[in-house]
Amino acid sequence: MLRALRSVCKRRSVRTGSLVAFLVNLIVLLNFLFAYLHTTRTHRVYVLGNRILPEAEANFTLPDPSAVSFYQQWIQRDLQPWRESGITTELVDSYALSGRWHECLGEVLRFQIINDSLWIDHLSERHSGWYPARLGPGALSGKGKIPYAILGLLDVIRHYPGQIPDIDAIMHTSDFSCVKATPAGQQPAGPPIFGYNSDHAHEDVPFPDYSYWGHEYTRLRDQHFYYWHGWDLQYKWIRELYANISLTDREPQAIWRGRVADDDYPERDALRRAYQKCPGQLSKQGRTEDAALINQQFDVDQISDNCRFRYVVYLESMAWSTNGRHKFSCGSVVISNKMGYYEFFTRELKPGVHFVEVDPDNLCDDLVTKVKYMNQVLDAGATHASSAQGRQGLGLELTNQRSVSSVLTGPSEHDLHPQEIADAGLKFMEDHVQMGDVRLYIKDVLKEYASHQTATEIKPSWNAVCYTGQLVLDQFAFPYRLDKQVVVQAYPWLTSFGQDLCPASTPGTMPVDGTASVDRPAKFASRKLT
């Protein structure tokens, strides 16, 4: 570091002894130090040294093959439009070749699973932010969505060998819903398209985004400032930090931090900007005590810092927000607008049971009314035993005591205590939103998709490449080897996975620019469907 400082001084030197020289060099040195300390603090994963990162799944066991996803009803509902017409190979081919997927505003791939081998046909060009990462070495999430989508598929095949039927499907990786819903009484014009979220006006089939579920979250690090890789480790870390801090011992305020403006999509974040203005508007009305219920001073460095507060706010932005599961895992009361965008688990969350819903058209008043009410209830002592007592494996029994007001829920059959709502949201995460649930959902949604296919056999598309774990790792390594090192430590099984499933010519045959063809021995070409 000292050598670097001297080098900076030499490059920026002016006449020795002058005040200008002193000030210029001082400013340069301070900027250098700030950048160095910031990088060390926030991106220390860039320099691993002898540090060994924990595996995303330390104890691998094959799950129960008879288990059915908790979200099976939603899986069937999402694929119901194709129940009568079926999913034909011609339908998938037509969509892939038509270029209609350009509407999806993100990278798009076609994937086939054949005899447990994974074949990927990259339909879209590789935009900036895939290979290499825009943010430099160690910024793995900056690689883009595609590598993680492939990682997720390989992870599910590994956990459910021989249980995923041969399929031929398309996935887009945009933040936004893409496929317009089919009007009632009509047949879908294209095949089902997997995406990371959907809403009532679209029919994208939700698929977990592994760049968040399966790997790092850039605002969640351990005590050494290394990222936690994989949702299981992230969840356990949040619970370890806050399991013994009761709701009543947390700051009696609501908190939200996040992006309020997207330069690429300026129409986003309107609700978030409205929330941000609430304290100022309330103060102008002379309601300083109400304004103080919305914290805007605390510096949220990590997503887990939100858990210091009794009320954690979740706000959508023309799409789902990736940190919802972290907020529900706090043990705080989650406050949200009506969730119009959903990922695979969100539709099972119920307002008044798992979270408190606020009116977006009357956001400021509704928010402070409900926060004030919950503070009164909690501060009056009409609460459960604190979260620090008896929460062995989330075995806390819900009390029969109810709040005497429906201010939290409006007209509803639910009239729950704030502590009950916090507990219910947390318990839902514990019971239904772990990585085992993620993989089980993917397995069952792929099986349901396959049940609607009309083809008797599936063949790799003309430009598809069979992916081994090593091929994914090699692509992560370009151009920064450190990225591969991090992924290998989180997923060591990738180094050997798929070598017996893909043709021998596959490893190393596809350069990172995606241009290659692979000879396909007959045994890999297709499998008859029964």
Side-chain angles (χ1 to χ4, degrees):
M1 179 179 174
L2 290 176
R3 285 196 299 270
L5 289 174
R6 294 191 190 101
S7 175
V8 170
C9 291
K10 289 178 180 178
R11 290 197 302 269
R12 300 291 302 181
S13 63
V14 292
R15 182 173 298 178
T16 305
S18 71
L19 179 61
V20 174
F22 174 78
L23 292 176
V24 168
N25 284 322
L26 179 61
I27 292 172
V28 171
L29 290 175
L30 289 175
N31 287 336
F32 182 89
L33 284 170
F34 175 80
Y36 174 82
L37 293 173
H38 176 75
T39 301
T40 302
R41 181 168 179 249
T42 61
H43 301 111
R44 192 170 171 180
V45 71
Y46 292 1
V47 185
L48 288 176
N50 295 323
R51 167 80 170 176
I52 302 299
L53 300 177
E55 296 181 25
E57 184 184 18
N59 300 310
F60 172 73
T61 56
L62 290 175
D64 180 2
S66 65
V68 177
S69 174
F70 179 75
Y71 308 99
Q72 188 65 26
Q73 64 165 322
W74 299 110
I75 291 173
Q76 293 175 348
R77 181 178 299 186
D78 291 337
L79 289 164
Q80 191 276 334
W82 292 269
R83 186 166 296 171
E84 293 185 7
S85 59
I87 305 168
T88 66
T89 300
E90 292 74 23
L91 201 63
V92 179
D93 283 341
S94 175
Y95 187 87
L97 295 173
S98 69
R100 282 188 292 160
W101 40 264
H102 282 294
E103 302 171 356
C104 294
L105 303 178
E107 286 90 352
V108 181
L109 61 83
R110 181 178 184 176
F111 68 93
Q112 287 115 357
I113 298 177
I114 303 170
N115 277 325
D116 282 351
S117 62
L118 177 63
W119 297 79
I120 300 295
D121 184 353
H122 298 284
L123 298 181
S124 59
E125 296 178 359
R126 302 188 177 197
H127 302 293
S128 61
W130 188 358
Y131 308 116
R134 287 173 295 183
L135 304 180
L140 290 166
S141 59
K143 289 282 190 183
K145 304 289 189 180
I146 292 291
Y148 294 99
I150 297 171
L151 173 60
L153 290 166
L154 291 176
D155 196 22
V156 173
I157 293 171
R158 173 177 177 252
H159 280 81
Y160 294 98
Q163 297 184 53
I164 300 177
D166 289 3
I167 67 170
D168 182 5
I170 293 174
M171 180 191 305
H172 78 86
T173 61
S174 171
D175 284 347
F176 305 103
S177 306
C178 174
V179 184
K180 295 291 180 62
T182 302
Q186 298 183 20
Q187 295 296 324
I193 305 298
F194 291 104
Y196 292 147
N197 73 141
S198 192
D199 61 83
H200 73 280
H202 294 83
E203 56 188 15
D204 307 57
V205 179
F207 193 96
D209 181 352
Y210 248 63
S211 62
Y212 295 104
W213 289 98
H215 224 259
E216 65 182 27
Y217 196 87
T218 54
R219 286 197 172 272
L220 191 63
R221 301 179 296 276
D222 65 14
Q223 65 273 29
H224 305 293
F225 294 102
Y226 289 91
Y227 300 134
W228 288 110
H229 291 83
W231 169 237
D232 280 346
L233 294 177
Q234 294 171 18
Y235 176 81
K236 290 175 182 176
W237 177 245
I238 293 174
R239 296 309 312 134
E240 181 180 327
L241 290 174
Y242 291 98
N244 294 323
I245 301 177
S246 69
L247 190 58
T248 53
D249 288 337
R250 303 185 190 199
E251 294 294 332
Q253 296 172 299
I255 190 167
W256 178 87
R257 293 289 186 277
R259 186 197 64 231
V260 294
D262 186 334
D263 293 338
D264 293 327
Y265 306 100
E267 66 275 16
R268 299 183 75 175
D269 305 318
L271 184 61
R272 296 175 173 184
R273 289 190 289 272
Y275 170 89
Q276 193 179 46
K277 295 175 182 177
C278 284
Q281 293 176 356
L282 294 168
S283 295
K284 288 180 180 180
Q285 299 170 13
R287 300 164 60 184
T288 55
E289 290 185 2
D290 288 350
L293 295 173
I294 303 173
N295 186 292
Q296 288 196 324
Q297 287 75 45
F298 183 76
D299 182 16
V300 176
D301 180 52
Q302 300 194 60
I303 187 66
S304 55
D305 292 339
N306 289 285
C307 305
R308 300 184 183 192
F309 295 81
R310 289 181 182 178
Y311 316 108
V312 181
V313 180
Y314 173 88
L315 297 173
E316 294 177 328
S317 178
M318 291 181 63
W320 95 121
S321 179
T322 61
N323 58 29
R325 62 187 181 276
H326 299 92
K327 294 181 176 181
F328 275 99
S329 301
C330 280
S332 301
V333 177
V334 174
I335 299 177
S336 174
N337 62 297
K338 184 176 182 179
M339 296 183 186
Y341 300 91
Y342 49 83
E343 50 184 321
F344 79 95
F345 71 92
T346 329
R347 287 171 287 183
E348 282 291 338
L349 295 170
K350 299 177 176 61
V353 177
H354 302 105
F355 66 97
V356 172
E357 190 173 282
V358 290
D359 180 4
D361 295 325
N362 187 29
L363 180 61
C364 302
D365 286 336
D366 197 27
L367 176 63
V368 297
T369 296
K370 290 175 177 176
V371 168
K372 280 200 299 187
Y373 171 73
M374 288 188 283
N375 277 341
Q376 291 170 3
V377 173
L378 292 169
D379 292 339
T383 64
H384 298 270
S386 72
S387 299
Q389 301 174 2
R391 193 179 284 282
Q392 303 282 336
L394 288 176
L396 183 66
E397 295 294 329
L398 293 180
T399 181
N400 289 325
Q401 183 181 17
R402 295 287 189 264
S403 63
V404 294
S405 171
S406 61
V407 67
L408 299 184
T409 60
S412 171
E413 71 276 18
H414 308 299
D415 193 14
L416 302 183
H417 191 284
Q419 181 70 63
E420 287 182 307
I421 295 174
D423 287 341
L426 174 58
K427 195 171 191 308
F428 185 89
M429 294 295 115
E430 177 76 11
D431 292 346
H432 304 299
V433 192
Q434 301 298 305
M435 280 307 297
D437 302 299
V438 174
R439 288 186 288 262
L440 180 57
Y441 170 86
I442 295 176
K443 186 261 291 186
D444 282 353
V445 77
L446 294 180
K447 288 182 66 175
E448 183 70 16
Y449 179 102
S451 73
H452 296 304
Q453 291 180 141
T454 62
T456 58
E457 62 180 9
I458 300 296
K459 298 179 180 180
S461 57
W462 69 277
N463 200 36
V465 172
C466 189
Y467 263 74
T468 64
Q470 187 60 53
L471 181 54
V472 176
L473 290 173
D474 289 345
Q475 293 180 341
F476 267 113
F478 177 80
Y480 309 114
R481 292 183 180 180
L482 175 62
D483 294 347
K484 176 179 178 179
Q485 181 185 355
V486 174
V487 178
V488 165
Q489 291 192 16
Y491 295 96
W493 55 268
L494 282 172
T495 57
S496 59
F497 185 79
Q499 293 180 2
D500 58 336
L501 300 173
C502 287
S505 59
T506 297
T509 61
M510 191 185 82
V512 292
D513 63 2
T515 59
S517 61
V518 177
D519 294 331
R520 302 186 183 95
K523 67 175 181 177
F524 295 103
S526 66
R527 176 173 69 177
K528 289 188 178 296
L529 304 180
T530 57

